[in-house]
Amino acid sequence: MELTARVWRAAGLPAARCGPWWWGLRGCSANGGPEAAPGPGGGGGRFHAPALPGACRASSTSPEGLAPQSQPRPGHRSQERGARLAAPAAAELWSSREGGLWKARKRMERKPLVIARTEGSEILFGISPCSVALSQSRRDLFRLFLKQSSGSRRFVMSEFVLQATARGVPVHYVNRKQLDALCRGHVHQGVCLEATPLRFKSLAEAEKPDLRYEESPNQQLIWLVLEQIQDPMNLGALLRSAYFLGVDRVVTSQRNSCPLTPTVSKASSGAMEVLDVYSTDDLQSFLKAKAAEGWEVLGTVSKPEDAENIPVISCSEFRWNKPVIIVIGSEGDGLSLETQLLCHRMLAIPPGRALHPGIESLNVSVATGILLHSICSQKLRRDE
């Protein structure tokens, strides 16, 4: 009835005196519903718009639902005017109503359900980072979100359920759109984990004397120092290589450096979850202190001519016979001049061919992997 009143108001007719709009149609049925006027071929024709307001008063004695005395005269000008006004208004109203409902339904389908996060938490994503984080005790874990899977992934998801149950972490099954929203569109592989962030460790902790080194001065130790690495994908790849090749410590500069984010954990394939990463706000003082303790500080350079009065050798020529620190510079600028001057030697990777101008260097994570492998492959075996 509310819709009917709106149609009459749009047609400029007093809605209070009128029943449903189809009462004014030619050939109304006995139960008050509309019938189509016969067309030229005897079939159904088109509906006729309501006539005068007086024709809309239903009669309880008339089987047709219209009072005989209020029948409109055929061809009356008022009837034609009502038809012109009411029909377009009714069509427009129905069109807007249907369109609004359709758009609202589509918006609800596109918009995923928002999952409220625990204050101070972050969302890890990907199979390896989430699995390793569940197996460690370095984070507080709140909820595990899984996508219903079949086939080969079904076994992986069941393993996650077992891990989460062992840690007392609630498991929630959600759809792909909800997982996309949780990890902001990153590749989640059907798994997200809500947990507290990981922080850099204090450098004072890393500077505690190593008893094994004190007992054996020739102990082979290697630390990786990162100066202003800003790309989380590069940082993750560096941590993955450092973990795989056996680096003992990773230290980063606090200024202009990437923090330990879920993206770093994903790029490291979970290595960030098990490797200790330290941070310092005074990289130069740290390097001076380690050099005074007998460590050799090695810088890195893409081209020998870029070094500032510091000996440059190929990484294949280096011989590892004392504790060593490898210092890696930022993606764009490399090592700062202040840091270069604190290095005993600079390492370079010889190219395998004449290089075209503009592609004369390697990605920082790739170059670091090559340098670390050339050094760590010299590590003494336990039985030697």
Side-chain angles (χ1 to χ4, degrees):
M1 290 300 293
E2 180 185 354
L3 179 60
T4 304
R6 291 172 63 186
V7 173
W8 283 105
R9 282 195 295 269
L13 300 176
R17 299 176 54 196
C18 302
W21 62 271
W22 57 78
W23 288 0
L25 297 176
R26 179 184 301 175
C28 288
S29 63
N31 59 2
E35 289 182 355
R46 59 184 177 86
F47 287 115
H48 294 269
L52 292 174
C56 301
R57 293 195 294 264
S59 171
S60 60
T61 60
S62 174
E64 300 298 324
L66 291 174
Q69 67 274 15
S70 62
Q71 294 286 347
R73 295 193 304 274
H76 197 277
R77 293 182 180 178
S78 298
Q79 183 179 11
E80 295 176 0
R81 179 176 176 273
R84 288 195 303 269
L85 291 174
E92 183 180 356
L93 180 62
W94 276 107
S95 176
S96 62
R97 184 183 180 93
E98 292 285 331
L101 290 174
W102 182 82
K103 291 178 181 177
R105 184 165 60 249
K106 284 296 181 182
R107 281 197 300 268
M108 291 181 65
E109 291 175 358
R110 289 196 301 264
K111 187 176 180 181
L113 178 65
V114 177
I115 300 175
R117 278 173 39 188
T118 306
E119 185 178 356
S121 68
E122 66 181 13
I123 299 295
L124 286 176
F125 52 88
I127 291 176
S128 294
C130 294
S131 179
V132 178
L134 281 167
S135 67
Q136 302 296 308
S137 302
R138 303 178 68 185
R139 297 175 181 261
D140 292 332
L141 308 179
F142 302 114
R143 288 178 293 179
L144 177 67
F145 298 95
L146 299 178
K147 179 179 177 291
Q148 290 280 12
S149 300
S150 58
S152 59
R153 281 285 175 88
R154 193 171 185 177
F155 175 76
V156 175
M157 297 306 168
S158 63
E159 288 293 319
F160 271 107
V161 173
L162 292 176
Q163 281 186 291
T165 303
R167 290 288 305 271
V169 179
V171 179
H172 300 269
Y173 290 95
V174 295
N175 59 40
R176 181 181 59 82
K177 289 185 178 180
Q178 290 173 305
L179 288 174
D180 291 342
L182 277 171
C183 66
R184 299 181 180 179
H186 292 287
V187 180
H188 49 69
Q189 301 173 294
V191 185
C192 286
L193 178 64
E194 185 183 26
T196 54
L198 277 184
R199 308 294 183 191
F200 292 115
K201 289 196 171 184
S202 168
L203 190 56
E205 223 177 314
E207 290 179 339
K208 289 179 181 177
D210 192 310
L211 297 179
R212 295 176 303 164
Y213 172 61
E214 286 187 343
E215 295 171 0
S216 177
N218 293 327
Q219 179 77 31
Q220 288 181 310
L221 295 174
I222 181 168
W223 285 16
L224 178 65
V225 173
L226 308 175
E227 183 182 37
Q228 299 184 16
I229 298 296
Q230 300 175 355
D231 191 319
M233 301 298 291
N234 281 336
L235 179 57
L238 287 165
L239 295 180
R240 186 174 185 176
S241 297
Y243 177 75
F244 182 85
L245 294 170
V247 171
D248 298 289
R249 289 285 187 272
V250 177
V251 181
T252 72
S253 59
Q254 285 185 4
R255 187 170 61 90
N256 296 331
S257 294
C258 177
L260 300 178
T261 65
T263 302
V264 175
S265 185
K266 181 68 166 62
S268 73
S269 193
M272 189 188 89
E273 305 298 322
V274 296
L275 187 65
D276 290 331
V277 184
Y278 299 84
S279 179
T280 175
D281 58 355
D282 191 349
L283 186 60
Q284 282 74 35
S285 296
F286 164 73
L287 294 176
K288 289 178 183 178
K290 301 311 288 183
E293 294 174 10
W295 291 62
E296 183 171 10
V297 180
L298 299 174
T300 52
V301 65
S302 59
K303 294 182 289 186
E305 56 268 24
D306 292 341
E308 295 286 342
N309 300 322
I310 304 170
V312 180
I313 63 170
S314 168
C315 60
S316 58
E317 299 174 2
F318 176 75
R319 293 296 173 261
W320 188 16
N321 52 22
K322 62 193 302 187
V324 64
I325 290 177
I326 309 296
V327 189
I328 306 295
S330 65
E331 295 92 343
D333 302 325
L335 291 176
S336 64
L337 179 59
E338 295 81 4
T339 301
Q340 285 189 42
L341 295 175
L342 296 173
C343 297
H344 298 108
R345 288 184 285 181
M346 304 290 283
L347 296 180
I349 301 173
R353 62 170 61 184
L355 301 177
H356 190 280
I359 47 175
E360 302 165 312
S361 63
L362 292 168
N363 172 270
V364 63
S365 61
V366 174
T368 302
I370 295 173
L371 293 171
L372 289 177
H373 182 265
S374 69
I375 298 173
C376 294
S377 61
Q378 304 175 34
K379 200 163 191 174
L380 297 175
R381 296 184 180 91
R382 291 183 180 273
D383 55 356
E384 292 182 351

